[in-house]
Amino acid sequence: MPSPHRQPASAPRRPWRSFACAALLLLAPACRGLGKYTWVDDYQEKPPPVDAAYRIAAGDLLNIRVWNQESLTTQARVREDGRISLLFLDDVEAAGHTPAMLSQQIQTRLKDYINHPVVTVALEMARPIKVTMVGEVNRIGPLEIEPGASVLEALAGAGGFTEYAHKDRIFVMRQEEGAELERIRFRYDDLIHAEGRAPAFRLRPGDVVVVE
C-alpha cells in the first residue's frame, strides 16, 4: 500500500522550479561578462555629413514671415501628413524640405497673390526625438525627449532606476550609418557630478538606453 505522504510520480513540476530555470537562463549571459563596449570618454562621434541642413518633419513648429504682410506672418505646426496650412495657399508640403527650400516654395506660390513676396521660414521648435529605454528603469519602452537631451534627462524621463540597477552599467546602443553597432558605457556618478564627457553626450533618434 503506497504511503499517503508520497507524491505520485505524475505530479506536475512545482512552478518555482520552472521560474528558477528561466532565471538562470537569463542570468547566463551576464555571467560571461559585460561584452564589448566603449567608455563614453573614449567614444569618437562621427562628424555630421557635409549636407547636414535640417530637414523639416511632422511635429515641427515653424515660424513663417512674409515681409510687409503681417496677415500672412504666422506659426504653423507640421501635420502628420507632412503639410502645413497657410492663408491663400491652403496645404503646402513641408516635410523633407529645408527651411530655405520651403521659403522658396511659398514665395513662388504667393506670386499669384502678392507682388514680389519675400518669405523667411525658421524652425521655432523641433519635434521630440524618440529613444528606447531598456532594462532596470521604471518605465521601459519608447520615450520622447527634446532634441539635444542628455542621458541623465532620458533616465529621469523613464522614472529613474529600479532597485536592481547597476548605476555603473548604463549603456547607449547607437547605430551610425555604415558602421557597426556601438555600445557606449556611462557611470551615473559621472553624469550627476559632471565629470568627463558623459554630461555633454547628446542622444540621437533611434538610440537605445540600457541599464543593467
Side-chain angles (χ1 to χ4, degrees), residues 63-204:
N63 192 344
I64 301 166
R65 300 184 63 84
V66 183
W67 183 77
N68 210 25
Q69 297 289 334
E70 289 300 320
S71 62
L72 295 177
T73 295
T74 186
Q75 287 187 341
R77 178 80 64 180
V78 183
R79 304 194 305 260
E80 287 301 316
D81 63 2
R83 300 178 180 182
I84 57 175
S85 295
L86 297 176
L87 186 63
F88 297 148
L89 304 184
D90 295 325
D91 286 348
V92 177
E93 192 71 39
H97 298 307
T98 65
M101 291 165 60
L102 180 59
S103 64
Q104 194 65 45
Q105 180 187 172
I106 295 171
Q107 276 184 188
T108 300
R109 292 184 58 180
L110 281 177
K111 287 178 181 179
D112 294 336
Y113 308 95
I114 301 170
N115 290 327
H116 309 296
V118 177
V119 179
T120 57
V121 175
L123 180 66
E124 187 74 16
M125 184 182 298
R127 68 201 181 278
I129 66 173
K130 287 185 179 181
V131 298
T132 302
M133 308 299 295
V134 178
E136 298 299 338
V137 291
N138 285 307
R139 289 194 292 273
I140 63 173
L143 175 69
E144 287 194 346
I145 56 177
E146 292 300 315
S150 66
V151 174
L152 194 59
E153 289 170 312
L155 292 170
F161 301 108
T162 70
E163 61 181 307
Y164 304 107
H166 295 86
K167 295 183 179 180
D168 63 341
R169 296 188 194 176
I170 303 168
F171 299 90
V172 172
M173 313 286 283
R174 172 173 291 176
Q175 182 73 65
E176 298 271 14
E177 187 174 354
E180 292 183 2
L181 179 70
E182 292 274 4
R183 191 163 173 256
I184 309 157
R185 187 176 177 184
F186 299 76
R187 294 187 188 93
Y188 183 66
D189 282 349
D190 294 342
L191 291 168
I192 61 173
H193 294 131
E195 295 181 1
R197 295 173 58 187
F201 183 91
R202 293 295 175 257
L203 293 169
R204 296 180 184 175

Side-chain angles (χ1 to χ4, degrees), residues 12-34:
R13 297 175 64 187
R14 294 178 181 177
W16 68 267
R17 289 188 177 177
S18 298
F19 177 80
C21 291
L24 287 172
L25 288 173
L26 289 172
L27 289 172
C31 296
R32 293 196 296 266
L34 294 178

